[in-house]
Amino acid sequence: MHPDVQKILLSEEQIRERVKELGQQISQDYHAREVLVVGILKGAMIFLADLVRNLSVSTYFDFMAVSSYGSGTKSSGAVRILKDLDKSIEGKHVLIVEDIVDTGLTLKYLVENLKSRNPESLKICTLLDKPDRRTVDVQVDYTGFTIPNEFVVGYGLDFDERYRNLPYIAVLKPEVYQG
Ligand code: 5GP
């Protein structure tokens, strides 16, 4: 275990099993259709890489990067696009792949933004959900794990750009956040 980690919330094994299940469910739901997976950088990259290898439907992907609100402006809901999609999604079956839904503000913005581009369908898949923190209503179609209101890192999620490479989801020791 990494020395900065206080506890492992979700092990590699638990994540692998759940991602496999999600892949099967999504493959069933989309069956003969092609799915355009839209990964939200950077947090969702590892989840996306594992998820798409569990999809049996024809899949292609694109990426978006959005700025998360800075600390202290949590309720502003201001989201900025840092990197937009490469191609049009008009008429496509789009599946947004997110790392975590917290307040829901980022996802609400993304859904509204992508809906305005006229996809054939738009669904959301998130690895983690912290429902206690939700301030806006967003409908998530596929959720990996519902977790308590704790700040987590690993499997793509960072603290100050670190810990994304941990193969599990973990909570850090308090002294790490105090820097
Ligand atoms: P929301 O807009 O739903 O409040 O926030 C979503 C974004 O906040 C996520 O995509 C993620 O970047 C960040 N975030 C929220 N909770 C956590 C957490 O527990 N750990 C990490 N590393 N990022 C989080």
Side-chain angles (χ1 to χ4, degrees), residues 159 173-179:
F159 169 58
K173 291 175 181 164
E175 57 264 34
V176 180
Y177 299 116
Q178 282 138 29

Side-chain angles (χ1 to χ4, degrees), residues 68-69 98-107 130 133 147 150-153 157-159:
S68 52
Y69 39 79
E98 246 302 21
D99 52 357
I100 184 164
V101 187
D102 189 27
T103 63
L105 289 165
T106 308
L107 208 49
K130 284 201 264 190
R133 295 255 310 156
I147 61 166
E150 281 185 288
F151 190 84
V152 292
V153 297
L157 288 109
D158 74 311
F159 169 58

Side-chain angles (χ1 to χ4, degrees), residues 41-161:
L41 297 171
K42 305 171 193 167
M45 63 177 183
I46 292 178
F47 174 42
L48 183 142
D50 284 343
L51 182 69
V52 293
R53 281 178 286 181
N54 282 283
L55 293 180
S56 55
V57 284
S58 158
T59 304
Y60 47 119
F61 30 91
D62 204 344
F63 295 93
M64 265 178 106
V66 293
S67 68
S68 52
Y69 39 79
S71 53
T73 58
K74 278 185 184 166
S75 58
S76 77
V79 177
R80 201 158 50 97
I81 295 180
L82 304 176
K83 185 226 171 288
D84 207 341
L85 298 173
D86 290 341
K87 288 193 178 154
S88 163
I89 58 167
E90 192 168 349
K92 313 270 188 216
H93 293 287
V94 174
L95 179 67
I96 300 177
V97 175
E98 246 302 21
D99 52 357
I100 184 164
V101 187
D102 189 27
T103 63
L105 289 165
T106 308
L107 208 49
K108 187 175 158 56
Y109 171 84
L110 280 169
V111 166
E112 280 169 11
N113 184 294
L114 295 185
K115 265 191 181 155
S116 73
R117 307 184 194 192
N118 300 319
E120 178 67 28
S121 68
L122 184 63
K123 283 190 173 189
I124 295 163
C125 175
T126 185
L127 176 67
L128 304 173
D129 186 9
K130 284 201 264 190
D132 293 350
R133 295 255 310 156
R134 199 76 88 257
T135 60
V136 290
D137 199 24
V138 276
Q139 198 218 317
V140 177
D141 302 280
Y142 306 99
T143 301
F145 301 92
T146 299
I147 61 166
N149 182 17
E150 281 185 288
F151 190 84
V152 292
V153 297
Y155 198 70
L157 288 109
D158 74 311
F159 169 58
D160 216 4
E161 294 299 326

